[in-house]
C-alpha cells in the first residue's frame, strides 16, 4: 500500500500516554472468605471435562504517574481441583518474570494456601518459593518464580496471590490477559486510570464488554465462563490466539481512518530519525574504509554491513556480556558519528549507522518500522503504532526495496530475522511512507545439515560420531538460545535434546562451535552410543536408518485442532548417515521409502545404498518445507486445513520410521546385491 503524496501530516506529535502505576490496596494481605458451596463443588462449570477450574482471577492496577515509573499488577486467583490430573497440573506453579512487553517484570510478595475439602488450611511456606528456567511450547526460555502448593488433593481449593512489577514501563500500552491454561468462571480487572485521561481499550480474540465505573475511582470489567487456553504444536504467537485486551490513553483516536493514521505515523517517525541518519566526515571516512575499491552495488552494501557488524558492539545483544547495570551506564549515542566513535550502541544505533553509511555511499536507504510476528500478527486496520516495535533498513535497488538487518547479530547479510520476514513493513518517508511486504527467505537458506558415521553391533548398539550444522534462521535461533549460557549449560542443553529423542543415548566428546559467530553455522559435534537402537529378534536385527528422526513423535499427534498452524520460517534438512554393519549380518532385501511431494511447498526424498562388500549402509535424506512463496501464505494455515497438513506430516513420519532388516548369515556371502534406491 502506498500513500498519496497529497496526504500531508497536520501535526507532528501523537501523545500516547499509558499506564505506569503502583498499587496500594486495602486488604491486599487478606484472603477472601470461601463459600461452603465452593468447597462442596463436585464438577466444573465452564468445561465439563476440566480437571481444575479457576473460580475467579482478579487483577488490580492503579495509574498514579503520567510518565515513566513502575506499573504494579496485584493478582489473586482461586482454583478448584476436581481430579488427580488436576492435582498434578495445579500443584506446581510457575509465574514467569523477566523481559516481556518491553519492560522488565519482577514478581514479589507471593502468598498461597491450600484449603482441603474438610476445611483444613495449609499455608505455602516462603522457603518453598524458588527461581528456575522454564521452556515454553514455542521453545523460548523464560525465568519463573516456582513453588509447589502444599497438600493438594481432588476436592481442594488452592489460591495464591502475587505482585507483578513492570519496572521502567515506557510510555506504551498495557496488555490485559483474559485467559489461563484452565477454564475460569470469572476474570475481573480493576483499573484506576490516570486522572483527566481518556482511556481506550481494544479487545483481541474476545468481545468488548467494556469497563464500567466502580468504587473509589476504579473501572471494572468482568468476563465469565472463559474456556482454557491450550498450547498446541506449531501454533501462532499467543497474543494472536489468546483472549486479551490492549488498554491505552490517547488524546486523538484515528483508529477508524488507518490510511491517514499510518501516513501521519510514517511522517512523524521519519522526522524523528533525521538526526539518526546524519552524514558527516567521520561517516564518509568509514565508508571509504569499508568499501575500498569495490564498485558492484550489492558488494558495496555487503562490505558496509560487515564493517558495521564487526566494529560496533550491540549493547543489548546477550553476546555483548554487559549486565543490565552496565547497559544503564552506557552513554546515549546522539548521531551515527557517536556510534562510530564509541564502537557500541543499541540495536537502533547499529541499524542507523548502516543506513547512514549506505546513504553516504550513494544509496537511497530508509528506516523500516514493523511488528514482531513472533509476538503478534500485525493488522494494518488497527491504526495504532503500538505494535511497530522492530526496525530494519530498506535500500532501493532499481525499482525494488532490498532489506537488511545488521542489528540482528546472527542473521546473514541479505536476510532479516524471521520475526521480521514475510510481513508488512512501513518504509518511512516524511511525505509518502509506504507499506511493503518484506521477503521470506527460501528453505535452502535455513538448512539443517547433519552427518553421522556409526557402527552397529550385533546386540543392536549403535555408536559413532555425529555432526549437526545449522544455517540461516535455524542457526540464529540456536545461537540466540545458547549465547548467554555457560559452556556447561550449552552441553546440558544438547544432552537433554538427545535424551528426549533417545533415552538410552550416551553422549560424550561434545564440541559446540560458532555460538557467537555472526557468519559461520552453529555446530553440534559429539560421540554417541545408543544401546538397543536396533531391535534384535533371533537371527535378525531391525534397524531404522533415519537416525536423526529416531524417537521423534508425530509433529501433529491429535486428531483435531483448535488453533491455526504456523511455522516460523521455511527450512530444509539434509542428512547423511553411514552405518558399518555387524560382522555376520547382511541386509535382507533393503528398500527405501517412496518420495513425498507437495508441489513447490515441500519435498521429501530418501536414498538407501550399500557398498559393494555389503558391509556399509549409506542413508541420504533430503526434505524442505515452505517453498514456492514469498509471504506468510506458506507458513500459516487455518485450523480447517489441519487434516491435510496432519496427513502430510504423518506420511512423512511413517517414512522416517521406515525399518530395514539385517539377517545373520549361516554361510559366507558369495554375491552382492544392487544398491537399494
Amino acid at each position: 500500500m502506498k500513500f498519496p503524496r497529497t496526504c500531508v501530516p497536520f501535526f507532528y506529535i501523537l501523545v500516547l500516554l499509558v499506564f505506569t502505576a503502583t498499587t496500594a490496596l486495602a486488604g491486599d494481605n487478606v484472603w477472601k472468605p470461601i463459600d461452603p458451596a465452593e468447597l462442596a463443588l463436585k464438577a466444573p462449570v465452564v468445561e465439563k471435562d476440566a480437571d481444575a477450574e479457576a473460580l475467579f482471577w482478579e487483577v488490580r492496577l492503579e495509574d498514579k504517574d503520567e510518565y515513566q515509573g513502575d506499573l504494579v499488577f496485584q493478582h489473586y486467583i482461586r482454583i478448584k481441583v476436581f481430579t488427580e490430573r488436576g492435582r498434578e497440573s495445579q500443584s506446581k506453579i510457575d509465574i514467569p518474570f523477566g523481559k516481556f512487553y518491553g519492560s522488565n517484570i519482577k514478581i514479589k510478595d507471593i502468598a498461597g494456601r491450600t484449603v482441603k475439602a474438610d476445611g483444613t488450611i495449609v499455608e505455602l511456606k516462603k522457603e518453598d518459593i524458588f527461581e528456575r528456567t522454564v521452556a515454553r511450547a514455542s521453545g523460548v526460555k523464560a525465568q519463573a518464580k516456582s513453588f509447589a502448593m502444599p497438600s493438594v488433593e481432588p476436592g481442594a481449593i488452592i489460591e495464591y496471590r502475587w505482585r507483578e512489577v513492570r519496572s521502567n514501563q515506557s510510555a506504551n500500552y498495557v496488555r490485559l490477559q483474559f485467559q489461563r491454561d484452565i477454564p475460569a468462571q470469572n476474570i475481573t480487572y480493576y483499573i484506576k486510570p490516570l486522572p483527566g485521561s481518556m482511556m481506550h481499550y481494544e479487545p483481541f480474540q474476545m468481545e468488548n464488554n467494556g469497563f464500567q465505573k466502580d468504587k473509589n475511582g476504579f473501572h471494572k470489567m468482568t468476563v465469565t465462563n472463559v474456556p482454557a487456553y491450550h498450547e498446541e504444536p506449531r501454533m501462532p504467537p499467543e497474543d494472536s490466539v489468546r483472549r486479551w485486551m490492549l488498554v491505552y490513553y490517547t488524546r486523538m483516536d484515528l483508529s477508524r481512518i488507518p490510511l491517514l493514521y499510518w501516513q501521519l505515523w510514517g511522517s512523524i517517525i521519519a522526522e524523528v530519525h533525521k538526526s539518526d541518519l546524519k552524514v558527516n566526515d567521520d561517516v564518509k571516512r568509514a565508508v571509504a574504509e569499508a568499501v575500498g575499491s569495490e564498485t558492484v552495488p550489492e558488494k558495496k552494501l555487503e562490505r558496509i554491513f560487515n564493517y558495521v557488524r564487526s566494529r560496533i558492539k550491540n549493547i543489548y545483544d546477550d553476546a555483548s556480556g554487559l549486565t543490565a547495570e552496565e547497559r544503564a551506564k552506557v552513554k546515549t549515542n546522539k548521531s551515527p558519528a557517536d556510534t562510530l566513535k564509541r564502537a557500541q550502541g543499541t540495536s537502533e544505533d547499529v541499524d542507523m549507522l548502516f543506513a547512514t553509511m549506505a546513504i553516504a555511499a550513494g544509496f537511497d536507504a530508509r528506516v523500516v518500522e514493523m511488528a514482531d510476528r513472533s509476538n503478534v500478527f500485525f493488522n494494518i486496520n488497527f491504526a495504532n503504532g503500538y505494535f511497530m516495535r522492530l526496525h530494519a533498513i530498506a535500500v532501493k535497488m532499481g525499482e525494488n526495496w532490498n532489506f537488511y538487518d545488521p542489528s540482528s547479530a546472527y542473521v546473514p547479510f541479505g536476510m532479516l530475522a524471521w520475526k521480521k520476514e514475510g510481513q508488512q513493513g512501513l518504509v518511512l518517508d516524511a511525505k509518502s511512507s509506504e507499506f511493503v511486504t518484506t521477503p521470506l527467505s527460501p528453505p535452502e537458506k535455513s538448512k539443517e545439515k547433519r552427518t553421522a558415521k556409526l557402527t552397529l553391533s550385533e546386540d543392536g548398539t549403535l555408536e559413532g560420531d555425529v555432526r549437526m550444522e545449522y544455517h540461516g534462521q535455524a542457526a540464529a535461533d540456536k545461537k540466540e538460545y545458547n549465547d548467554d549460557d555457560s559452556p556447561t549449560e550449552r552441553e546440558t542443553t544438547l544432552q537433554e535434546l538427545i535424551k528426549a529423542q533417545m533415552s538410552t543415548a550416551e553422549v560424550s566428546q561434545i564440541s559446540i562451535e560458532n555460538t557467537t559467530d555472526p557468519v559461520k553455522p552453529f555446530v553440534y559435534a559429539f560421540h554417541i552410543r545408543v544401546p538397543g537402537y536396533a531391535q534384535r529378534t533371533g537371527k535378525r536385527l531391525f534397524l531404522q536408518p533415519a537416525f536423526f528422526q529416531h524417537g521423534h513423535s508425530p509433529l501433529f499427534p491429535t486428531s483435531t485442532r483448535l488453533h491455526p498452524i504456523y511455522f516460523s520460517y521455511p527450512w530444509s534438512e539434509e542428512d547423511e548417515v553411514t552405518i558399518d554393519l555387524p560382522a555376520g549380518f547382511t541386509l535382507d532385501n533393503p528398500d527405501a521409502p517412496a518420495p513425498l511431494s507437495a508441489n513447490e511447498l515441500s519435498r521429501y526424498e530418501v536414498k538407501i545404498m550399500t557398498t559393494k562388500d555389503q558391509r556399509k549402509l549409506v542413508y541420504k535424506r533430503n526434505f524442505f518445507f515452505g517453498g514456492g512463496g514469498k509471504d506468510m501464505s506458506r507458513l500459516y494455515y487455518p485450523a480447517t486445513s489441519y487434516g491435510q497438513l496432519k496427513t502430510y506430516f504423518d506420511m512423512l513420519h511413517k517414512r522416517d520410521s521406515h525399518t530395514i532388516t539385517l539377517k545373520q548369515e549361516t554361510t559366507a556371502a558369495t554375491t552382492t546385491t544392487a544398491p537399494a534406491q
Side-chain angles (χ1 to χ4, degrees):
M1 178 186 296
K2 189 169 184 177
F3 296 109
R5 293 185 178 273
T6 55
C7 189
V8 179
F10 55 84
F11 65 89
Y12 286 94
I13 301 271
L14 289 177
V15 180
L16 305 173
L17 296 177
V18 160
F19 293 108
T20 46
T22 58
T23 305
L25 301 175
D28 275 353
N29 298 318
V30 177
W31 298 110
K32 293 177 180 290
I34 294 178
D35 191 321
E38 293 177 331
L39 278 176
L41 190 63
K42 301 296 183 184
V45 173
V46 182
E47 295 181 3
K48 65 177 183 179
D49 297 325
D51 298 305
E53 187 169 87
L55 302 179
F56 65 79
W57 175 26
E58 293 183 357
V59 187
R60 290 179 177 266
L61 62 153
E62 180 179 357
D63 197 355
K64 294 182 178 180
D65 190 348
E66 184 177 2
Y67 301 102
Q68 188 165 306
D70 286 349
L71 181 62
V72 181
F73 293 72
Q74 189 75 37
H75 296 263
Y76 183 176
I77 186 167
R78 177 176 291 171
I79 297 170
K80 177 73 175 187
V81 176
F82 296 106
T83 68
E84 187 64 27
R85 286 196 303 270
R87 181 196 68 78
E88 293 177 1
S89 67
Q90 299 305 307
S91 292
K92 297 179 180 179
I93 311 299
D94 290 317
I95 304 176
F97 68 89
K99 294 179 181 178
F100 298 99
Y101 309 127
S103 180
N104 187 37
I105 294 178
K106 298 179 181 179
I107 304 300
K108 298 182 177 181
D109 301 334
I110 296 173
R113 66 176 187 169
T114 299
V115 183
K116 295 186 176 183
D118 63 3
T120 303
I121 298 176
V122 185
E123 299 282 348
L124 171 68
K125 297 178 180 179
K126 294 292 185 183
E127 57 265 30
D128 292 335
I129 302 171
F130 60 97
E131 296 181 4
R132 73 185 187 105
T133 301
V134 296
R136 308 292 297 276
S138 61
V140 176
K141 290 186 294 185
Q143 293 297 109
K145 292 281 188 178
S146 298
F147 51 93
M149 295 298 296
S151 304
V152 181
E153 60 188 18
I157 285 175
I158 63 172
E159 55 182 357
Y160 50 96
R161 57 180 185 253
W162 70 99
R163 286 197 306 131
E164 174 189 333
V165 182
R166 299 187 183 182
S167 60
N168 299 319
Q169 178 77 49
S170 61
N172 219 325
Y173 299 173
V174 172
R175 304 187 192 197
L176 308 181
Q177 296 295 338
F178 278 90
Q179 203 168 19
R180 298 185 65 88
D181 60 353
I182 56 173
Q185 294 182 16
N186 291 279
I187 298 177
T188 303
Y189 276 88
Y190 297 88
I191 300 177
K192 191 172 185 179
L194 194 69
S197 64
M198 184 181 295
M199 187 172 75
H200 293 264
Y201 36 88
E202 183 74 19
F204 292 85
Q205 292 80 235
M206 62 181 287
E207 293 182 359
N208 191 349
N209 291 354
F211 280 87
Q212 307 297 324
K213 286 187 177 181
D214 198 58
K215 301 175 183 178
N216 302 319
F218 279 87
H219 290 243
K220 174 183 177 181
M221 178 176 173
T222 297
V223 295
T224 59
N225 298 327
V226 182
Y229 165 72
H230 297 286
E231 290 191 339
E232 295 177 308
R234 302 285 185 170
M235 59 175 280
E238 280 189 20
D239 283 352
S240 287
V241 294
R242 198 171 194 152
R243 300 183 186 197
W244 66 284
M245 181 170 287
L246 181 66
V247 179
Y248 58 98
Y249 301 146
T250 182
R251 295 180 182 176
M252 182 171 292
D253 185 7
L254 300 178
S255 61
R256 299 294 177 263
I257 42 178
L259 186 70
L260 175 61
Y261 177 88
W262 290 118
Q263 179 61 41
L264 294 172
W265 176 269
S267 299
I268 294 164
I269 304 304
E271 186 72 21
V272 169
H273 283 307
K274 267 189 175 181
S275 61
D276 298 329
L277 302 174
K278 185 178 180 180
V279 176
N280 70 356
D281 290 341
D282 291 336
V283 172
K284 292 177 181 178
R285 282 191 290 269
V287 170
E289 181 182 352
V291 172
S293 60
E294 183 60 65
T295 58
V296 178
E298 189 72 8
K299 293 291 186 182
K300 289 171 68 175
L301 277 175
E302 186 171 8
R303 288 194 176 189
I304 294 172
F305 183 92
N306 292 336
Y307 181 94
V308 172
R309 273 271 183 91
S310 62
R311 300 294 183 93
I312 310 301
K313 178 193 290 186
N314 185 339
I315 65 172
Y316 284 103
D317 192 274
D318 290 331
S320 70
L322 297 177
T323 65
E325 292 75 17
E326 290 171 334
R327 290 187 183 108
K329 295 177 182 178
V330 173
K331 291 184 178 180
T332 301
N333 293 331
K334 297 180 180 180
S335 68
D338 284 349
T339 305
L340 278 171
K341 180 180 179 180
R342 295 169 179 156
Q344 65 181 18
T346 65
S347 298
E348 186 169 324
D349 291 338
V350 173
D351 285 342
M352 297 307 152
L353 176 59
F354 171 76
T356 305
M357 291 179 67
I359 292 170
F363 294 96
D364 181 2
R366 311 283 183 87
V367 179
V368 185
E369 295 253 329
M370 64 189 71
D372 178 353
R373 69 173 174 88
S374 71
N375 179 265
V376 70
F377 292 146
F378 176 66
N379 181 357
I380 193 174
N381 292 317
F382 176 53
N384 198 295
Y386 169 68
F387 293 115
M388 306 296 271
R389 296 186 165 222
L390 301 180
H391 43 76
I393 303 302
V395 178
K396 202 66 171 288
M397 290 289 188
E399 297 298 316
N400 300 315
W401 292 107
N402 286 6
F403 296 88
Y404 304 93
D405 197 1
S407 64
S408 294
Y410 306 127
V411 176
F413 173 77
M415 293 174 64
L416 300 175
W418 69 260
K419 58 189 177 183
K420 302 178 184 180
E421 287 193 339
Q423 64 170 329
Q424 290 179 305
L426 186 62
V427 180
L428 301 179
D429 183 84
K431 296 181 179 180
S432 182
S433 299
E434 61 176 319
F435 274 107
V436 177
T437 301
T438 57
L440 197 66
S441 300
E444 60 269 20
K445 290 284 189 179
S446 300
K447 179 182 291 186
E448 299 177 21
K449 185 177 181 180
R450 302 171 291 216
T451 58
K453 297 181 179 180
L454 309 167
T455 298
L456 181 65
S457 302
E458 62 179 29
D459 65 354
T461 298
L462 194 64
E463 184 172 4
D465 296 319
V466 176
R467 183 177 176 86
M468 303 163 65
E469 292 184 5
Y470 299 85
H471 300 256
Q473 305 291 6
D477 272 357
K478 290 289 185 183
K479 291 174 182 179
E480 290 289 355
Y481 192 91
N482 285 273
D483 65 357
D484 58 340
D485 287 346
S486 67
T488 300
E489 289 172 326
R490 293 169 189 168
E491 290 190 8
T492 298
T493 296
L494 174 61
Q495 294 272 8
E496 291 174 349
L497 180 72
I498 300 300
K499 282 286 187 180
Q501 184 179 346
M502 293 175 274
S503 60
T504 64
E506 303 163 8
V507 180
S508 60
Q509 301 175 33
I510 295 174
S511 173
I512 303 176
E513 304 171 16
N514 310 324
T515 307
T516 59
D517 190 287
V519 178
K520 295 179 181 178
F522 180 89
V523 177
Y524 282 135
F526 54 92
H527 186 83
I528 192 169
R529 182 176 183 272
V530 190
Y533 180 91
Q535 302 302 306
R536 177 74 185 263
T537 304
K539 295 184 177 182
R540 282 180 165 76
L541 280 169
F542 298 95
L543 173 70
Q544 179 184 339
F547 171 77
F548 293 105
Q549 290 71 42
H550 182 80
H552 282 310
S553 301
L555 184 60
F556 301 113
T558 59
S559 58
T560 59
R561 179 83 177 193
L562 177 64
H563 301 305
I565 303 93
Y566 171 58
F567 299 90
S568 298
Y569 51 83
W571 81 98
S572 61
E573 301 171 12
E574 181 182 305
D575 299 335
E576 182 170 334
V577 181
T578 302
I579 302 175
D580 290 333
L581 304 179
F585 282 81
T586 59
L587 291 167
D588 187 8
N589 298 317
D591 61 333
L596 190 62
S597 177
N599 300 318
E600 294 180 326
L601 173 65
S602 179
R603 189 170 298 117
Y604 169 90
E605 185 179 14
V606 163
K607 293 182 179 180
I608 300 179
M609 300 166 283
T610 57
T611 54
K612 290 183 179 180
D613 61 4
Q614 299 292 294
R615 306 301 341 130
K616 194 184 297 286
L617 175 74
V618 180
Y619 172 90
K620 293 185 177 182
R621 174 185 181 274
N622 285 279
F623 170 72
F624 73 82
F625 187 88
K630 296 182 179 180
D631 57 26
M632 288 286 292
S633 64
R634 295 290 172 151
L635 300 179
Y636 180 90
Y637 300 87
T640 52
S641 299
Y642 180 63
Q644 289 178 296
L645 207 58
K646 173 178 167 57
T647 297
Y648 183 81
F649 277 94
D650 282 351
M651 294 169 65
L652 180 67
H653 180 260
K654 183 177 181 180
R655 283 162 169 76
D656 283 338
S657 302
H658 178 74
T659 300
I660 60 176
T661 305
L662 288 80
K663 62 181 180 180
Q664 194 169 22
E665 297 173 304
T666 54
T667 59
T670 57
T671 60
T672 62
T673 59
Q677 301 290 332

